[in-house]
Every structure is written in structure tokens, then in C-alpha cells.
Amino acid sequence: LGLLFRLAPVALGAGLKECDNGVECISVTPKSAEFTFDCHKVDGGGDASGIPVLFLHGFPEWSGMYIPLMKYLKEQGGLTSFACNQRGYSPTASPENVEEYDYNILKADVLDIAAELGYEQFHLVAHDHGAVLGWTVAQESDRVVSFTSLSIPHPDVFSDALYGPNADRSQQMASQYFDMFTRDNSASIKGNFWYMSLGLTSSRWKEYDDKYSDYGPSDFQRALWWYNGAQSAGKMAGPPAFTVTELTKEGQYSMAFLRGVFGMPDEEVVDGIEQTNKVGMIDVPTLFVCGKNDPAILCDNEYSYNTENYVSKDYLHLVVDCEHDLTSCGGDEQEKVNRMVWQRIRTA
């Protein structure tokens, strides 16, 4: 498999930090889009025929989370890699309407960025919401050579665990925040609750310099709209809402607290939301990495192992002693994750 290079119009990534020690910061403006994305790049310095790696971050995360792994892939195989702050995260790629975060649009962003960088083909590594999107990109584009999902099982498997006759009750309870994220003005309701608890504590302050220090609830709302976008495209189900009493009785104290703060959702979503647009079979070599201590995605539960049945090519599965962020496990567990990501790419 070859790689087509062409000159892409890029500039320094506006306001990004960590732009030294082998990491470049660039801005990418796809010809097919009206937005500019801020990206981190690690140049592998290897053979020009090598296929690059594109990383997709999750919620609420930023491209800088991948820098250690990008450097690792350079050390192991001379791989060039890119990680961009996606729609709703790059300040110059943050439209103001929820309709502009539909997953079909987000998928087009990924392919448009790759095209602007000159990549006919690429390996895809993604985490959290980026991984939900990554499964979709991997299924629908023949440009993806291999796919690695960090933390997220196949969306059809995950959706079946959230809604329907075969649902996993513990996963439904752990995902009660879905209906709280997708409400109108979700970042600012209840005294800016989500902005104060997630927006201010995200790694954005490490990602950008002081010129973007005015990041407020309306900015964080764009990140939350990824949840609306996944459901509007029918790619992800939503769980039924449980009461405070039900959640407390089964030991879901954090979700019980949140239900107490936000109350029950509107009638049209109280019984859950069905996945209406299945992702389907993945026809590229795939790796699924699960943190068995993840409190949000219970990916070591039995339902999650059904992911293997949705991959037609070589499938690898790794369970590690980590929580949700599989780029910051530390120690031997992080080495296991990094090594398996490299193995997936190397053997694709």
C-alpha cells in the first residue's frame, strides 16, 4: 500500500502548546470545509511510503493527549502521525448550531483533514467519542488501513447494551448522563454544572495558550453537541432513565446524585432512544482496548465481547488494568497499550 503526498496549505496551529521536542503544531483548512483545525504532528522521518496514523480524541479531550503515543510510534516504526482538535474543539472550527455536529458531518471532517494532508490511506486510532466516530469512518471508508478503538466497543454492540431486550442494566445505569448531556443548553443549565465540572477540568488549559483563556459554557456546549450528533445520525442509542431510588438501590451513587441534580428527562426520551442507523460490519484489521476499571464504559462486561462478531478481518482485543483514559494508564499497563497499538498498525 502506498501513500500519496502533496503540498497541503498548513500554518502554525493557532495558540497550541507543546510545539517543540519533536512535535509540530499546524493548522489544517480542508478545501471542502470552511473551518480550520489545530493539529499536533510528529514526523516519523521514515520511508515516505509509510502509511501515517490519524488520531481522534474523545470528550472532553484534546489532541495533545496523544503526544506520548505519537512519539512512541515514531520510535518503534518511524511513523508520522497527526492528532487534530476536532469540530467543537478547535476555536476556528466550532459552528454555533447543534445541527452542525451530526455524525455524518463529523465523519466528513476526518476524511477531509486526511485529504488535505495528502493521505490517500491512513491508520486510525481513536478514543471515547472519537472512537464511536472512528468505528463509523472505518466502516464507510476504504481509506482506513487499520482501526484501533480505545475504550469503546463496536457502536452496535454498545447500543444493544443501552437499549432493547438484550440491554446490560449496569451499562444503562452507568450511562445515565446521556440524557443530561443532550438537553437544550446543557453546558449552562443547573448553574453551568457540566461546564464547571467537566469543561474547566478538561485538559484545554494545557492545550492552548492564554489568548484562549475566555473559554466559557457556550464554547463547551460545542463539545457536548457530539452526543446530540451521534443520536441525530442514529449511530448511538440512549438508555432509559432510572430514578434516584433505583440508582441508589443498585449502588450507582454518582449517577443517583446527577439524576437528583438534573431530574428525569422529557417523556420522549425517558424510555431510552433506539439506534436507528446501524454501523455494521468492519472490514479492516481492528484492535479494541478496554480498561477494566472504566466506570463509564463497562467494556469488560460480557456484552462488550460481542465486538469481535462485527469485525471481518484480523481482530485483536486487549483488556488492561486501567480506567477510561487509556493514554494515561502509566507503568506496565501503558506499555501494554502502546505495544498493542503498534502491533495492530505493524501487522495490518
Side-chain angles (χ1 to χ4, degrees):
L1 295 172
L3 174 65
L4 174 66
F5 280 93
R6 65 178 173 82
L7 256 282
V10 296
L12 291 177
L16 280 180
K17 294 182 178 180
E18 299 193 64
C19 305
D20 52 17
N21 297 320
V23 181
E24 300 176 52
C25 292
I26 64 173
S27 294
V28 179
T29 307
K31 288 184 174 61
S32 57
E34 56 184 309
F35 303 117
T36 296
F37 298 88
D38 300 326
C39 309
H40 287 103
K41 173 187 177 182
V42 172
D43 191 332
D47 189 330
S49 65
I51 297 174
V53 186
L54 189 61
F55 289 89
L56 306 179
H57 65 77
F59 167 90
E61 299 164 340
W62 309 86
S63 60
M65 68 180 287
Y66 285 121
I67 288 175
L69 181 52
M70 294 164 75
K71 289 183 175 181
Y72 177 88
L73 294 178
K74 175 182 178 178
E75 294 169 0
Q76 296 300 311
L79 295 179
T80 294
S81 54
F82 283 85
C84 296
N85 288 329
Q86 298 175 81
R87 182 176 293 240
Y89 292 83
S90 286
T92 50
S94 295
E96 299 180 356
N97 299 307
V98 63
E99 295 80 10
E100 295 182 87
Y101 293 82
D102 184 280
Y103 252 45
N104 293 308
I105 298 174
L106 297 173
K107 178 190 69 178
D109 285 343
V110 175
L111 298 175
D112 289 345
I113 289 170
E116 191 62 31
L117 293 169
Y119 298 146
E120 282 190 329
Q121 295 180 310
F122 53 91
H123 300 280
L124 189 61
V125 178
H127 179 246
D128 188 75
H129 240 298
V132 181
L133 179 62
W135 283 105
T136 301
V137 175
Q139 196 279 329
E140 298 183 9
S141 175
D142 58 5
R143 294 165 61 187
V144 178
V145 178
S146 75
F147 175 55
T148 293
S149 174
L150 302 177
S151 300
I152 305 297
H154 188 288
D156 296 357
V157 172
F158 188 47
S159 291
D160 285 345
L162 293 174
Y163 181 92
N166 299 315
D168 182 301
R169 186 174 175 85
S170 60
Q171 183 62 70
Q172 289 179 317
M173 288 193 162
S175 299
Q176 289 294 288
Y177 56 89
F178 276 32
D179 73 70
M180 306 170 199
F181 282 177
T182 54
R183 299 183 188 189
D184 292 342
N185 304 309
S186 56
S188 55
I189 60 176
K190 305 299 178 181
N192 298 327
F193 183 92
W194 289 127
Y195 168 69
M196 298 297 291
S197 60
L198 295 177
L200 283 177
T201 59
S202 74
S203 59
R204 188 187 190 287
W205 310 107
K206 295 185 291 184
E207 189 85 351
Y208 285 98
D209 63 24
D210 291 340
K211 72 182 290 188
Y212 294 110
S213 61
D214 58 347
Y215 185 76
S218 63
D219 302 292
F220 186 60
Q221 183 66 63
R222 285 123 171 99
L224 284 162
W225 279 339
W226 276 57
Y227 282 83
N228 300 75
Q231 293 186 344
S232 67
K235 295 295 186 183
M236 189 165 64
F242 292 99
T243 66
V244 171
T245 300
E246 289 172 317
L247 293 164
T248 302
K249 184 177 180 180
E250 299 198 28
Q252 290 281 351
Y253 302 117
S254 60
M255 290 298 115
F257 167 75
L258 292 174
R259 184 60 71 202
V261 171
F262 286 90
M264 295 295 280
D266 293 339
E267 184 176 342
E268 60 264 28
V269 299
V270 73
D271 293 327
I273 298 176
E274 183 179 3
Q275 181 196 34
T276 58
N277 189 3
K278 300 288 188 181
V279 173
M281 188 65 65
I282 306 298
D283 295 324
V284 299
T286 298
L287 165 65
F288 170 37
V289 184
C290 164
K292 67 180 181 179
N293 302 318
D294 190 333
I297 311 298
L298 309 182
C299 55
D300 199 28
N301 281 15
E302 183 178 356
Y303 81 84
S304 183
Y305 286 80
N306 196 34
T307 292
E308 181 177 10
N309 296 323
Y310 286 80
V311 179
S312 66
K313 297 294 179 67
D314 184 47
Y315 176 73
L316 301 175
H317 184 205
L318 175 67
V319 179
V320 289
D321 190 12
C322 300
E323 295 190 3
H324 187 64
D325 183 0
L326 295 173
T327 66
S328 61
C329 300
D332 292 342
E333 297 304 291
Q334 189 62 58
E335 177 61 25
K336 291 177 185 177
V337 174
N338 293 353
R339 188 168 58 246
M340 188 64 84
V341 172
W342 163 232
Q343 180 182 336
R344 174 68 293 161
I345 291 170
R346 179 176 56 84
T347 60

